[in-house]
Amino acid sequence: MSKIPWKADLLLAPLPAVLVSCGTPDAPCVLTAAWAGIVNSQPPKTYVSIRPQRHSYAIVRQSREFVINLTTRAMMRQVDLCGVRSGRDVDKFALCGFTPQAIAGIGCPAIAQCPVSLGCRVTDILSLESHDMFLADIVSVSADESLVDANNRLQLSRADLLVYVGGAYHALGERLESSHYTAQKKPDHK
Ligand SMILES: Cc1cc2nc3c(=O)[nH]c(=O)nc-3n(C[C@H](O)[C@H](O)[C@H](O)COP(=O)(O)O)c2cc1C
């Protein structure tokens, strides 16, 4: 490849297009986030970076809990809506037809329509410049039973997940094969 210099930019891809739910079962809130990821294996840790101006920011900061809900191709319009409308002005759960669903160990609701939800408890808040990064323990996971195969393994590739690349939504492509790293590792080592 003949590479050219490019400006320093946020060019990691693909990124997840997740719905981060927070609040309470009676007053749930949700925002779309692409600045989210895994940062540690044991204990399982994740993060989401949220601008302090967001309505959800104050809720997560105060409750120190949130749920990361994975999204699907079929949910693209709702994901986009939750990324442009604010919970300050509208009940996004009602607008999108989302059902709040309890998740173990966390007081805020997951979204029943999402195939996988990660219940997260905040351990650290890192103030960067535009965003604050909420580092969190993944304390529980709930997954749609149709994703579990005959060997009791979770097959995420069945979920038709939505991702974010270069400012646009994409569906994941073809599953190629299991990584050798995954095949070699002991069951609880990542
Ligand atoms: C694809 C996509 C990804 C986004 N990622 C983030 C993010 O990682 N962090 C963030 O603070 N806002 C992100 N946003 C913007 C928020 O979702 C948006 O401002 C939302 O309306 C905030 O809702 P709230 O005010 O109810 O919290 C994203 C928007 C879209 C469409």
Side-chain angles (χ1 to χ4, degrees), residues 69-127:
N69 303 274
L70 304 192
T71 63
T72 65
R73 178 201 302 252
M75 301 177 73
M76 186 184 70
R77 296 277 161 238
Q78 291 138 305
V79 171
D80 203 43
L81 210 54
C82 291
V84 289
R85 302 292 301 273
S86 176
R88 249 181 230 111
D89 312 316
V90 67
D91 174 350
K92 286 189 265 186
F93 265 71
L95 187 69
C96 295
F98 291 154
T99 313
Q101 186 175 56
I103 183 165
I106 296 290
C108 60
I111 298 172
Q113 285 76 11
C114 292
V116 178
S117 300
L118 282 60
C120 304
R121 191 170 301 133
V122 174
T123 56
D124 305 274
I125 304 174
L126 206 57
S127 286

Side-chain angles (χ1 to χ4, degrees), residues 19 33 60 93 110 147 180:
L19 287 168
V60 173
F93 265 71
L147 300 180
H180 288 95

Side-chain angles (χ1 to χ4, degrees), residues 32-51:
T32 301
W35 290 184
I38 295 295
V39 286
N40 197 53
S41 302
Q42 285 306 329
K45 287 189 92 86
T46 184
Y47 78 93
V48 61
S49 285
I50 307 178
R51 282 188 188 263

Side-chain angles (χ1 to χ4, degrees), residues 100-183:
Q101 186 175 56
I103 183 165
I106 296 290
C108 60
I111 298 172
Q113 285 76 11
C114 292
V116 178
S117 300
L118 282 60
C120 304
R121 191 170 301 133
V122 174
T123 56
D124 305 274
I125 304 174
L126 206 57
S127 286
L128 303 169
E129 218 169 283
S130 55
H131 292 64
D132 278 9
M133 182 183 189
F134 292 92
L135 271 172
D137 288 327
I138 300 170
V139 300
S140 62
V141 173
S142 62
D144 186 70
E145 57 187 7
S146 70
L147 300 180
V148 181
D149 69 14
N151 299 316
N152 207 29
R153 291 211 185 88
L154 197 65
Q155 295 294 349
L156 270 183
S157 55
R158 288 187 186 168
D160 202 14
L161 294 174
L162 190 69
V163 294
Y164 195 57
V165 178
Y169 302 103
H170 294 246
L172 283 182
E174 182 192 357
R175 185 184 191 280
L176 301 178
E177 62 174 48
S178 297
S179 75
H180 288 95
Y181 182 72
T182 309

